[in-house]
Amino acid sequence: MDALAAVTSRVRTLLPDHAVITDRARLRTYECDGLTHHRVVPGLVVLPETADQVAAVVAECARHQVPFVARGSGTGLSGGALPHAAGVLIVTSRLRRILAVRPEDERAVVEPGVINLDVSRAAAPYGYHYAPDPSSRQVCSIGGNLAENSGGAHCLKYGFTACHVLAADLVTPDGDLVTLGTEAPDAPGYDLLGTVIGAEGTLGVVTSVTVRLTRDPEAVTTLLAAFAGTDDAGAATSAIIAAGIVPAAVEMMDALAIEAAEAAVACGYPAGAGAVLIVELDGPAADVAAELSVVTRLCTDAGGFALRVAADDAERELIWKGRRSAFAAVGRISPDYIVQDGVIPRTALPEVLRAIATLSADSGVRVANVFHAGDGNLHPLVLFDAAVPGQEQRAEEVSGAILDLCVTHGGSITGEHGVGVDKARYLPRMFTDHDLDTMQLVRCAFDPAGIANPGKIFPTPRLCGEVPRKHHAATEPARDIF
Amino acid sequence: MRASFVARPADAAQVADVLRVAAAHDLAVVPRGNGTRLDWGLPPSRLDLILDLSALDRIVDHAAGDLVLVAEPGARIADVQRHLAAAGQRLAVDAPAPGATLGGTVATGHSGPSRLLAGPIKDQIIGISLVRPDGTPAISGGRVVKNVAGYDLARLMCGSYGTLAVFTRLIFRLRPLPAARAFITAPVLGPSLATPLIEAVATARLAPSAVELDLPAPPPDDAARSVACPQGAVVVLVEGSPGGVAGRASAVRELLQKTGAEEVHVRAESPPWWGALPQWDAKPQRDAKPRSAEPSADDDTLLRLTFVRSGLPEVLSTARDHGAALRGAAAAGVLTAALPHAAPDRVALALAALRTVCARYGGTAVVLNAPPEIRSAVDMWGPIPALDLMRRVKQQFDPSHRLSPGRFVGGL
C-alpha cells in the first residue's frame, strides 16, 4: 500500500465519512485556488471540523511522510493552496466558528475558516472592526489571511494581518497542537507566530486565531478625484504623504482599469478621467475635516478635477465597489488576464508607471493598473487572449518584466498575494542563496521532513539534515539591503 | 562575568569576519549595543567575546519621500529621532533608557508609549541584515513597507535577546511628525482612580496616540500607606492637526474630569519619565555601564506585565499589594513594574501572584532585570508554550550554542 493510501485508510477511521473526499470528480473541485492556471488534483481532501481532527490528519501525514496543504476559501492569487497530487488537502471551511468576541479586551477568537468580513460583522454591534480588509474580504478566510499576511486597502494606516494577530493555535508538521503568542501583547520567547504569519502554510496549519479588534473611527470620509493621467494622480499622492497626512487608504486606477470597472459595476467614475484616486480619511471628526480640506487642495493643485466626497455610506460603497471589483471587472474587457502584485518605493511610482507603459507599447500587451498608491503596491493587470497563439506567453513576459522593474527600483515581487507556486522562481531576484537558506532554517526547525505545503515559496528546498553547505562565507562580503 | 575579548567591528563585513573567527575558535559571543540592557535576561552560561556594535551607528539612508529609514544597529534612538525630526518625520520607537540603541531595543523587543496607536517595535521594522553565528550574512524583508516575499526574519529577531544572529542593518517604516500634540495629565494616587480613567479614554473614539500610567511605589509598610501615597498620573497623548488636537485635548480633559479626575492639565511637553523604564529615573549614570553583563546589586527588580485590558484592575491592585512601582502603556496591556529592594522570597511571592493574575488575562509576567540574589531565586522567564519549537529554531541558527548562550527562555 502506498503512503497516501495508508493515510487515507487511517483518516477514514479518524474523521466522519462526510469529511473525507476521495471521489475523483469531487477532488477536482479543489484542483486550484484563485490562480486558476495552476491545477493539480489533490490525492485526498479532508474537511475537519475540530482542531483535534486537523492534528490527527497531520500526524498521519507525518507518520507516512505524505505532504499536506491547507486551504481556506481558495481565493489566493499565487497558488499557495495548490494541492499536491500525492498529498492531502486540508480544507478549513468547516472550521468556521467565531469562538469569542470581547470588545472590552479588543479581541476576537475565531477558527481559520471564518470569513474575514464576518469578524467585522460580529464586532460591529460593539463599535469595533477587524482592520485588515483584502478586496476579497467577503469570501476570504482568516486562516488564509494569516498564511499570506494579507493586506488590503486600509493597511496603509492600520497595518497588515501580522499587526492584528496576537495568538494562534498551530498544528505543527509533526501533528502537535501548540499555542503561539498570547492574547496579551509581547509574549516572551521567539516570535514564532510572527514567522508563521506570511509563511504560506509551510510551517503548519492554524486551528484558532486571536485577532485584535480596532475601535471604529468617529468619522470616515471618502474622496474621489479624477486626473488627466497617473503622473498627476501620483503627484497628488506624494503631496498628501509629504503633508504629513496618513490616510486610511489611497487607491489609484488608470484609464483602462476605470473602463473595466465602469463596464462591470457602473461605479460612476468621472468621464474623461485618465486616472482616479480614492482617498479615504478616518479618525476623530475634527481631524478628518481638517485633513479633507488639505487633501482637496493638494488634489486640485495636482490637476485633479470632478472631486467628489461620498455623502453617505451608500455613496462610499459605490466608490469602493469600482475599486474592489477591478480585478474581476477586467474580464469584461479581456478574455484572460494576469493579476500581478509588486511593490515599489512610492517615490518611484511615476518612473515605474512610465516604464510599464513602454513595456506595454513595445509588446502590444495591454496593461491595466490598479494599485494601493499610498504604499507603492502595484496590481498591474496584464491582458491577453489565450485563444490567440503567442499572446499568453507575451503576457507572461510582460508580467515578469514588471516584477523586474519592481526589484530594480528597490521594491518587492509581492506585497500581499504571496510567493506561492507562482513566484518561487522570482524569489532569487530579491534574495541570494544565503538569504533563502537562512529563511529555510526556520522551515527546518518546524518541518524537517518538508511535508507542509512543499514546493511553495522556495525555489530550492533546503535539505534539513544535511551538513551545512560550504557556502563561500569566507570570501563573500557581508551584504546589506541596497 | 568577564569576557576574554572585546571586538568592535567597523562595518558589517567585519562583524562577519569576527563571527567566523569566533566560530573557528568555539568562542561564546554576546553582542552589545550601548549596554543599557546588557544585564537583561539570564547571565550567559559562557562568555568569551563581547561583540561591541557601537561603531555600527550610521544612518545609512533616510528616504524621506518613502518614509523609510535604513540604519545600523548601534545608532542611538535619540540621535536617529533628531535626524528624522529635521525632515518632519519620526520612528515610532521610544528610547527606554538614555543612550538606548536601535539594535538593543529590537533585540529586547521593547516598545514604549507609541505602541498604542503605531504598534510595537516589530510592526515598525520592515527589513533586516544579519549575520548568523557561523559568519553567514543574510537579509530578509526590504525597504518597502508592504512586502510578503519570503519569511519575515525581522519579526523573529525582535525580542530574541541576541541569541539567533547579529544585526548589521535595520530598516524601519517612518511616520510624519504631527503638527500638534497635547499631553493631558490626570494625577492619581492609586489604581482605584487610574483604572476608570484609562478605561474611559481607551473606549472613547478620541484616537489617543498613547495612554500611559505612572504610579510610584506605595510607602513600604501598611501603616504609612494611608498617610502619604506619592502621586502618580494617567497621561493621555493626542496628536494631529492643531485644530483637531485642541478639540480632542478638551474632550479628553472633560472625559477624565467626568470620570472622577480632579485637576487635569493639558501641556505641550511630555512628562520627564515618558517612555523611560523606571529603573533609570534615579540612576542616569547607568548610561555609561562597564562592558560586562554583570547584574548590579543596586538594581530594582524589573518586571514586564502583560494582560488584556479587562485585567487592568486586578493587575494594578496585585502589583500595588506587593509594593511595585508601575509605568507603561496601560491601555495596550503592557506595564513595567519595579519592585524596590526586597528579600528574594518577597520578590518570589510577588512574581507568583502577578503571574497568576496576568495569565488569567491572557498575559505573562517576565523578570527583565534583577539583583543577582533574586535571579538565582526565581524563574525569570516563567512558563513558555511552544518551547520545543523555539529550541529547534535556536538549534538551526546556532547549533553550537555560542551566541548569548543561556540568556533567553528555557536556557536558550
Side-chain angles (χ1 to χ4, degrees):
Chain A
M1 186 158 57
D2 75 356
L4 180 61
V7 169
T8 304
S9 74
R10 279 290 297 156
V11 161
R12 284 192 184 285
T13 69
L14 297 166
L15 267 61
D17 285 349
H18 64 265
V20 182
I21 297 174
T22 53
D23 170 63
R24 181 83 187 166
R26 290 182 65 203
L27 289 175
R28 281 187 65 94
T29 60
Y30 295 97
E31 68 184 356
C32 68
D33 59 10
L35 187 76
T36 53
H37 63 272
H38 288 274
R39 290 168 194 266
V40 173
V41 178
L44 172 70
V45 171
V46 296
L47 296 112
E49 286 161 8
T50 65
D52 288 342
Q53 289 179 356
V54 176
V57 169
V58 172
E60 286 307 319
C61 290
R63 187 165 303 135
H64 297 280
Q65 300 285 291
V66 165
F68 63 89
V69 178
R71 173 187 163 112
S73 299
T75 57
L77 293 169
S78 57
L82 185 73
H84 198 285
V88 180
L89 187 72
I90 300 171
V91 180
T92 60
S93 59
R94 288 187 189 156
L95 286 160
R96 63 191 318 161
R97 284 164 289 242
I98 294 178
L99 302 171
V101 177
R102 298 203 312 266
E104 69 279 12
D105 290 330
E106 300 183 346
R107 299 289 185 272
V109 185
V110 305
E111 290 185 331
V114 169
I115 301 304
N116 173 297
L117 189 56
D118 287 345
V119 182
S120 287
R121 285 193 178 125
Y126 310 99
Y128 287 82
H129 66 283
Y130 176 60
D133 63 336
S135 293
S136 55
R137 65 194 179 139
Q138 296 191 359
V139 284
C140 65
S141 71
I142 292 293
N145 290 176
L146 187 144
E148 302 295 319
N149 191 14
S150 299
H154 291 82
C155 69
L156 175 62
K157 181 171 179 178
Y158 292 100
F160 1 80
T161 302
C163 308
H164 296 273
V165 171
L166 277 299
D169 288 347
L170 177 86
V171 173
T172 69
D174 293 333
D176 295 333
L177 187 57
V178 298
T179 299
L180 305 180
T182 56
E183 295 201 350
D186 292 6
Y190 296 136
D191 186 7
L192 301 182
L193 180 60
T195 314
V196 166
I197 297 171
E200 306 190 16
T202 60
L203 300 177
V205 184
V206 296
T207 55
S208 166
V209 185
T210 301
V211 301
R212 182 194 316 284
L213 298 176
T214 302
R215 190 81 173 95
D216 290 346
E218 187 185 9
V220 182
T221 191
T222 309
L223 171 79
L224 180 75
F227 293 86
T230 52
D231 275 6
D232 290 352
T237 305
S238 289
I240 292 165
I241 303 290
I245 293 172
V246 182
V250 182
E251 301 285 304
M252 198 194 297
M253 294 167 69
D254 73 0
L256 198 52
I258 296 168
E259 181 193 327
E262 282 296 339
V265 296
C267 44
Y269 289 171
V276 293
L277 210 54
I278 300 169
V279 183
E280 191 154 287
L281 301 162
D282 72 8
D287 297 75
V288 169
E291 288 178 355
L292 179 63
S293 69
V294 176
V295 168
T296 303
R297 178 171 53 77
L298 295 174
C299 283
T300 310
D301 289 353
F305 59 92
L307 269 62
R308 193 164 89 209
V309 177
D312 52 28
D313 284 350
E315 249 187 76
R316 181 179 358 274
E317 263 320 296
L318 191 61
I319 290 176
W320 275 109
K321 196 174 174 186
R323 166 62 188 87
R324 288 208 170 100
S325 65
F327 293 179
V330 166
R332 296 291 185 106
I333 59 168
S334 176
D336 303 285
Y337 58 96
I338 298 165
V339 178
Q340 192 44 282
D341 167 42
V343 191
I344 52 169
R346 189 182 37 249
T347 49
L349 202 60
E351 196 181 330
V352 170
L353 286 179
R354 274 193 292 276
I356 291 176
T358 306
L359 269 175
S360 172
D362 292 352
S363 62
V365 174
R366 290 191 301 165
V367 180
N369 284 295
V370 177
F371 41 91
H372 309 298
D375 41 29
N377 187 187
L378 312 178
H379 290 308
L381 301 154
V382 184
L383 314 187
F384 66 96
D385 182 351
V388 179
Q391 274 209 5
E392 181 164 5
Q393 196 198 332
R394 276 207 301 284
E396 287 277 359
E397 286 163 10
V398 168
S399 185
I402 290 172
L403 289 185
D404 280 334
L405 280 172
C406 292
V407 174
T408 54
H409 284 83
S412 171
I413 60 166
T414 172
E416 55 186 5
H417 294 173
V419 177
V421 71
D422 193 39
K423 289 184 175 171
R425 67 201 152 109
Y426 294 110
L427 207 56
R429 297 188 192 180
M430 284 178 71
F431 298 112
T432 65
D433 286 351
H434 285 331
D435 304 336
L436 297 175
D437 248 20
T438 303
M439 292 174 192
Q440 290 194 83
L441 293 178
V442 180
R443 180 88 198 271
C444 290
F446 277 74
D447 181 23
I451 59 170
N453 210 7
K456 312 296 166 63
I457 306 182
F458 299 106
T460 317
R462 185 180 207 274
L463 296 176
C464 297
E466 73 182 345
V467 182
R469 240 184 272 166
K470 279 276 177 237
H471 30 55
H472 315 288
T475 51
E476 182 176 313
R479 249 167 2 90
D480 286 304
I481 306 172
F482 314 113
Chain B
M1 180 171 285
R2 295 248 163 245
S4 306
F5 308 100
V6 175
R8 188 167 181 268
D11 56 30
Q14 290 188 4
V15 171
D17 288 343
V18 169
L19 285 171
R20 274 192 294 270
V21 171
H25 294 85
D26 191 34
L27 301 181
V29 180
V30 172
R32 177 192 199 277
N34 193 29
T36 58
R37 283 151 293 167
L38 196 56
D39 48 3
W40 282 22
L42 293 160
S45 56
R46 284 171 66 203
L47 173 58
D48 302 306
L49 169 68
I50 297 250
L51 186 55
D52 177 349
L53 296 166
S54 59
L56 274 79
D57 63 349
R58 288 160 286 237
I59 290 175
V60 179
D61 186 21
H62 172 207
D66 295 319
L67 289 163
V68 166
L69 171 78
V70 185
E72 292 181 324
R76 298 181 183 208
I77 294 172
D79 295 342
V80 168
Q81 298 289 23
R82 258 193 303 279
H83 176 96
L84 298 173
Q89 298 183 353
R90 65 171 161 182
L91 171 62
V93 170
D94 306 280
T101 61
L102 291 173
T105 305
V106 169
T108 51
H110 187 86
S111 308
S114 57
R115 69 174 306 145
L116 181 67
L117 194 63
I121 189 166
K122 65 183 178 182
D123 289 355
Q124 319 306 323
I125 185 165
I126 59 173
I128 193 164
S129 302
L130 53 82
V131 183
R132 278 155 48 183
D134 66 358
T136 307
I139 65 172
S140 106
R143 49 184 302 164
V144 286
V145 173
K146 243 175 134 177
N147 184 0
V148 294
Y151 286 173
D152 186 348
L153 296 181
R155 279 182 185 264
L156 184 64
M157 296 301 146
C158 281
S160 65
Y161 276 73
T163 60
L164 290 178
V166 177
F167 319 146
T168 54
R169 247 178 219 191
L170 301 165
I171 308 183
F172 295 94
R173 64 177 304 185
L174 303 174
R175 286 158 207 274
L177 267 180
R181 57 197 330 215
F183 294 86
I184 304 100
T185 303
V188 295
L189 289 176
S192 57
L193 179 57
T195 302
L197 295 183
I198 292 161
E199 279 294 323
V201 177
T203 50
R205 294 195 294 186
L206 295 165
S209 298
V211 178
E212 288 284 301
L213 171 67
D214 179 49
L215 274 184
D221 72 82
D222 294 341
R225 206 166 286 189
S226 56
V227 183
C229 221
Q231 201 171 67
V234 169
V235 182
V236 180
L237 170 63
V238 294
E239 300 177 313
S241 62
V245 165
R248 274 190 289 151
S250 305
V252 170
R253 184 216 299 256
E254 278 166 33
L255 181 64
L256 293 174
Q257 283 171 337
K258 202 179 74 188
T259 316
E262 284 180 3
E263 32 168 344
V264 180
H265 302 283
V266 179
R267 298 191 178 89
E269 297 303 319
S270 62
W273 49 266
W274 192 256
L277 290 159
Q279 184 183 13
W280 269 270
D281 288 358
K283 309 180 188 85
Q285 76 278 9
R286 287 178 53 115
D287 186 14
K289 274 186 80 168
R291 280 199 177 113
S292 77
E294 204 72 51
S296 158
D298 295 339
D299 291 337
D300 288 340
T301 297
L302 210 61
L303 313 179
R304 179 161 63 212
L305 311 178
T306 67
F307 47 91
V308 291
R309 211 173 53 223
S310 58
L312 184 64
E314 267 190 77
V315 170
L316 291 186
S317 64
T318 307
R320 295 285 282 183
D321 288 350
H322 288 90
L326 291 162
R327 181 177 295 166
V334 183
L335 287 170
T336 305
L339 290 166
H341 291 135
D345 57 334
R346 291 192 59 181
V347 171
L349 272 178
L351 184 59
L354 285 164
R355 282 210 166 122
T356 304
V357 171
C358 289
R360 195 179 303 147
Y361 294 99
T364 55
V366 165
V367 181
L368 299 173
N369 188 22
E373 69 274 15
I374 287 170
R375 284 168 190 263
S376 49
V378 302
D379 173 4
M380 291 187 64
W381 289 102
I384 304 288
L387 187 57
D388 178 53
L389 273 177
M390 293 178 195
R391 275 189 216 290
R392 285 154 70 170
V393 169
K394 169 74 173 176
Q395 180 66 25
Q396 288 289 331
F397 276 82
D398 184 17
S400 48
H401 217 64
R402 290 182 300 99
L403 198 59
S404 305
R407 190 178 179 192
F408 201 42
V409 300
L412 298 179

